[in-house]
Amino acid sequence: MEVHMVTHDASAHIYCHQCDMNFKNRMSYNQHIKYNLKHIDPSKLKYACELCEKKFAKAKRLEEHNVAVHLNAKPIHCTTQGCTFTCSSRPVLPTHVRMVHRNARAQWNHVCHTCGKAYTTKKSLEGHMRSHSGERPFRCAPCASAFGYEAALYNHNKSVHLKTKTGRAYT
């Protein structure tokens, strides 16, 4: 009960700079730090998927990954009457309820002062700002290509330097 009561405490407005996320209370923030892959020491990721080698800190997360990604199943159903939303992971459901049924959509309060476009996260705005400056800080080690977004580098490595699921290799 004490743990639950913390969720009703006055907002602490705790902010994670690395993820650009706000947390209502210390407990939510601690859970984020404990389970978000950006904050987990890689040596604690002891559960590896045999099909794609992705790693997890908990066996339950590996199981959810297998159901969602490799079996493409969505066994979790929204209990709101008339809603047909389904998902494969329990942590996704509260976000759905908050965003759809409680109308708590993300705020677009990170605005580009150059062109006026708005973003929901500081990280997204920073990536967009690089499109104006031409900065490309994310470099590919094998071929020295450069990118303005970390995700673009990831996609480049995946499609150009890693084997695809069909077994073909790109050079």
Side-chain angles (χ1 to χ4, degrees):
M1 181 62 135
E2 287 176 30
V3 170
H4 171 74
M5 292 307 292
V6 172
T7 65
H8 297 291
D9 287 348
S11 292
H13 299 293
I14 301 168
Y15 181 72
C16 175
H17 291 280
Q18 187 175 353
C19 299
D20 187 31
M21 292 177 68
N22 288 303
F23 295 90
K24 181 178 164 185
N25 54 51
R26 173 71 52 192
M27 185 180 77
S28 297
Y29 174 75
N30 289 342
Q31 290 293 312
H32 167 76
I33 294 297
K34 187 175 180 180
Y35 297 114
N36 187 291
L37 291 177
K38 289 181 182 177
H39 301 290
I40 294 176
D41 177 359
S43 67
K44 293 184 178 179
L45 301 175
K46 298 177 181 173
Y47 301 93
C49 177
E50 294 176 357
L51 299 172
C52 69
E53 298 179 15
K54 190 168 183 178
K55 295 182 179 181
F56 301 87
K58 290 183 151 194
K60 183 70 175 167
R61 294 288 181 250
L62 172 59
E63 180 183 327
E64 289 174 346
H65 163 80
N66 281 322
V67 168
V69 176
H70 302 298
L71 298 177
N72 200 24
K74 297 181 178 180
I76 314 294
H77 300 274
C78 180
T79 58
T80 303
Q81 187 175 2
C83 183
T84 59
F85 177 80
T86 61
C87 59
S88 54
S89 174
R90 283 213 184 275
V92 173
L93 188 58
T95 302
H96 160 77
V97 170
R98 186 175 68 250
M99 301 299 277
V100 175
H101 302 299
R102 295 187 188 150
N103 202 19
R105 301 253 178 231
Q107 294 182 359
W108 296 73
N109 56 358
H110 298 273
V111 181
C112 173
H113 297 291
T114 304
C115 69
K117 285 188 178 179
Y119 296 87
T120 57
T121 66
K122 180 178 144 191
K123 186 174 183 176
S124 296
L125 175 60
E126 288 170 351
H128 167 76
M129 294 301 293
R130 286 192 288 274
S131 71
H132 292 298
S133 69
E135 180 187 10
R136 295 173 154 244
F138 302 101
R139 302 216 176 270
C140 176
C143 73
S145 293
F147 302 90
Y149 292 88
E150 192 172 11
L153 173 60
Y154 172 82
N155 289 335
H156 165 80
N157 276 316
K158 190 174 178 181
S159 65
V160 175
H161 299 295
L162 298 177
K163 291 181 181 178
T164 63
K165 289 181 180 178
T166 59
R168 293 182 306 196
Y170 293 92
T171 58

